[in-house]
Amino acid sequence: MTFTSFKFLLVFPLLVGLYYVIPQRCRMLFLLLASYGYVCASSVRAALALAAATVFTFLAGKYAGDTGSQQRAYAAFLSTISILTFYLCFFKITTVLPLGRLGHLAAPLGLSYYTFKLMSYVIDIYWGKIEPARSFTQFATAIAFFPQIPAGPIQRPADFLSQVPPTQTALWLGLSRMAWGMAKKLLIADNLAPTVGYVFSHTHTLHGASLLAGFYLFPLQMYADFSALTDIALGLGLIFGIIGPENFNRPFTASSITDFWRRWHMSLTKWLADYVFTPLRMATRSAGTAGLAMSISINMLAVALWHGFTLGYLVFGVLNAAYLVGDVFSARRRNLFFKAHPNLDALGNWSGWLLTTHLFFLAMAFFRAHGVTDAARLLTRIWSGFGTSGTDLVTLAAATGKNALLIGLIGYAVLELAERYRPDLWWRRIEPTTPPWVHWPVRIAIAVCVLAGIFLVTIRQGGHDSPFLYQVF
C-alpha cells in the first residue's frame, strides 16, 4: 500500500482526525499501532520481523550502555551490530540467490531503513552519545514510524525521541509538502516511467537517440520519484508533529561529484559518513592518501551494496568510488588553478556541473539496467544510428505515449524552477506577518491540490498502484 494508493488516501483522513482528538499522552501508542498496521497491510511476517528486531535491539541497548562493565558493553555492541548486519545481508542475498526449497525470499518492508536506525541507536549508546531509551513504546515508534518505513529518510532514533511527545503539529505545512510530493510522483515520475522502462527493456534493438533518451530520462525519473516519496514522508511527519531529515538538496546543480553526494540521499550518505567512513578514516590515517582512497572506496561500496547484492549495483558503487577518489585527489590543484585564474570561475563551475551530471548518469545506467551487459550495450549503441534520430524519437514517443512523456518533461522543468526559487520557503517566511484573510485562500489551494492528487489516483489508467522505485530497498 503506497502513499499514493487509493486505499491509503481513504485511511489517511481517519488517522489524522483520530490523532488530533486523542489525548497527547496517547499519541505515541497511537502512532505505534498505526505504523504496525501499515506494515501488516504489506505483510504480517514483515511486521513480526520488525517487532523482533526492535525488541532485540532495545534490550541490547541496555547492555551496550552498561558503564559498570566495559567488557559486557562491548560484547553487547559487537554482537548486536553483527546480528543486525547478518539479518540485513541475509535478505539482500536471498532476494538475488535462491535459498534451496524456499527459493527467493522477499525482504521485509523497510528492512534497509529500519536496520540502519537500529544500528545507529546501539552505536550511539556504545559511543556514549546517547542514553538507552526508557520507554519501549517511544523507541518502537521511532523505528517503525510509518511515513519513514517504505523508503526513509533514515532518521536517527535519538533525533526522533528528542521530539516526543509531539507538541506542535503542522497540518497545512505537512499537507502542502505531501501535495508537492504527489505532484512529483503522479505528474513527473509516472509519466517518464513508460519511456524509461521501454528503453531499458529494448537495449538490444534500439540505438542512438532512443537509447540516449533513456540514458537522460532515468536519473530524472529516479530523482522525481524518490524525492516525491521523501516529500510525502516528511509532510506526513509534520502532520503528526515529527520533523524528519531532508534527503535531497538540488543534486543536479552540483559542480563536483563530492558536492553531488552531499546533496543526494543525504540521510543515507550522512549515516555512512558517520558510522563507516569516519571510523575507517581514523583507522587508516597513518596510511596517508592510500588510506583515504580505501576509506572512500569502502564507503561507496557500502552505498552500492545497501541497495542490493547485484553486479549492477556493485559497478555503480565502483564507478562512484573512482569518481570521488579522483575528485578528492585533484581538488587542491583545481582550487589553485582557479584561484590563479579567477576569470575562469564561471567556466569551471559550468564544466564541473556538466562532467558531474554525465558521470553520475553513466553510473545510473548500471543501476537501472537488467544486467551489466544491457548497460554496456546501451552505452555503446548510443553512438550509432544518429542519422535516423528524428524518426527514432518519434517512434519511441509513439510506442510509450507522447502525451505522457511531454507532461513528464514539462513537469520536470517546473520542478527545477520551483526548487530553485522555493515558493514554500517564501510563504513560510511571510505567513506570520500576513492577515488571517490571506491564510485561508492558501489553505484552500493546498486542499485543492491534495484533492487533485486523490482524483489523479482514482482515474489512473487501470487503477493500478504505482510503487515508488526506492520501496524495493
Side-chain angles (χ1 to χ4, degrees):
M1 182 170 62
T2 67
F3 292 145
T4 57
S5 68
F6 189 61
K7 291 180 181 178
F8 177 79
L9 293 174
L10 279 178
V11 175
F12 169 66
L14 178 63
L15 287 177
V16 175
L18 289 173
Y19 186 77
Y20 278 60
V21 298
I22 62 174
Q24 195 175 99
R25 65 179 182 276
C26 300
R27 285 184 169 181
M28 278 296 97
L29 180 60
F30 178 83
L31 282 180
L32 179 62
L33 294 175
S35 297
Y36 272 87
Y38 180 83
V39 178
C40 283
S42 168
S43 166
V44 175
R45 291 182 180 179
L48 292 174
L50 171 61
T54 302
V55 171
F56 167 72
T57 306
F58 180 77
L59 296 175
K62 301 293 185 183
Y63 293 100
D66 187 355
T67 55
S69 173
Q70 184 62 29
Q71 187 175 3
R72 183 163 57 181
Y74 178 72
F77 158 75
L78 186 61
S79 60
T80 304
I81 297 303
S82 299
I83 290 171
L84 289 174
T85 302
F86 174 79
Y87 171 63
L88 176 61
C89 292
F90 172 78
F91 281 103
K92 292 292 183 183
I93 293 172
T94 55
T95 55
V96 179
L97 301 175
L99 191 66
R101 294 181 179 179
L102 295 177
H104 295 279
L105 293 180
L109 178 67
L111 171 72
S112 300
Y113 303 94
Y114 71 71
T115 304
F116 270 28
K117 287 185 178 184
L118 294 169
M119 285 182 178
S120 67
Y121 172 73
V122 174
I123 295 171
D124 284 347
I125 289 176
Y126 181 71
W127 285 352
K129 290 184 175 181
I130 62 172
E131 295 292 326
R134 296 182 179 181
S135 167
F136 176 75
T137 299
Q138 292 182 357
F139 173 73
T141 306
I143 303 303
F145 189 45
F146 78 88
Q148 299 171 0
I149 273 288
I154 303 170
Q155 185 169 25
R156 316 280 174 93
D159 181 32
F160 184 99
L161 293 172
S162 67
Q163 302 180 56
V164 299
T167 55
Q168 292 186 340
T169 56
L171 177 63
W172 293 105
L173 188 60
L175 284 175
S176 64
R177 191 72 184 261
M178 283 185 66
W180 180 232
M182 291 173 67
K184 285 185 186 179
K185 171 63 174 170
L186 299 174
L187 297 178
I188 304 173
D190 284 358
N191 280 311
L192 295 179
T195 303
V196 172
Y198 183 86
V199 170
F200 279 90
S201 296
H202 295 82
T203 55
H204 57 291
T205 57
L206 299 175
H207 54 77
S210 297
L211 292 177
L212 199 60
F215 175 84
Y216 282 114
L217 289 177
F218 172 61
L220 305 186
Q221 179 209 359
M222 172 62 83
Y223 174 59
D225 191 282
F226 191 14
S227 65
L229 182 52
T230 298
D231 287 330
I232 295 173
L234 293 177
L236 284 167
L238 290 171
I239 290 170
F240 294 111
I242 300 295
I243 300 173
E246 293 289 346
N247 236 2
F248 296 96
N249 180 20
R250 301 185 66 210
F252 294 145
T253 63
S255 58
S256 71
I257 200 70
T258 301
D259 185 31
F260 177 89
W261 279 105
R262 293 192 185 109
R263 296 166 176 266
W264 178 274
H265 204 171
M266 295 187 296
S267 65
L268 173 63
T269 54
K270 182 69 166 63
W271 193 100
L272 289 168
D274 289 347
Y275 301 116
V276 177
F277 175 77
T278 301
L280 275 173
R281 184 64 190 124
M282 295 296 292
T284 60
R285 180 170 290 182
S286 59
T289 56
L292 176 58
M294 186 179 72
S295 300
I296 293 172
S297 299
I298 292 175
N299 191 67
M300 287 313 301
L301 288 178
V303 170
L305 296 178
W306 177 87
H307 291 90
F309 287 15
T310 68
L311 191 54
Y313 293 139
L314 181 61
V315 173
F316 171 82
V318 169
L319 286 173
N320 277 286
Y323 300 160
L324 282 166
V325 170
D327 186 40
V328 170
F329 287 171
S330 64
R332 184 172 178 274
R333 289 185 179 180
R334 286 185 283 116
N335 290 336
L336 289 174
F337 175 83
F338 286 111
K339 188 175 181 179
H341 303 85
N343 56 313
L344 296 178
D345 272 351
L347 178 62
N349 289 333
W350 180 83
S351 59
W353 164 80
L354 191 66
L355 179 63
T356 298
T357 300
H358 283 84
L359 288 176
F360 181 73
F361 280 28
L362 186 149
M364 287 295 279
F366 292 93
F367 189 99
R368 173 62 175 81
H370 300 298
V372 171
T373 304
D374 281 352
R377 186 184 292 115
L378 180 144
L379 293 172
T380 53
R381 289 172 64 91
I382 275 178
W383 309 106
S384 64
F386 274 104
T388 58
S389 295
T391 304
D392 290 344
L393 290 175
V394 170
T395 304
L396 177 64
T400 60
K402 179 176 63 176
N403 292 337
L405 179 58
L406 187 60
I407 292 171
L409 290 172
I410 293 173
Y412 189 84
V414 173
L415 164 64
E416 283 293 332
L417 288 172
E419 292 196 339
R420 178 175 181 178
Y421 295 106
R422 294 301 302 266
D424 58 324
L425 296 181
W426 170 79
W427 171 249
R428 193 187 308 178
R429 188 169 60 250
I430 70 164
E431 183 183 16
T433 62
T434 56
W437 63 267
V438 176
H439 295 177
W440 282 105
V442 174
R443 292 173 179 176
I444 291 172
I446 293 171
V448 168
C449 290
V450 174
L451 291 174
I454 296 173
F455 176 72
L456 286 173
V457 170
T458 58
I459 66 169
R460 189 158 41 189
Q461 185 177 2
H464 70 281
D465 187 7
S466 175
F468 288 88
L469 296 177
Y470 255 71
Q471 276 191 241
V472 300
F473 304 122

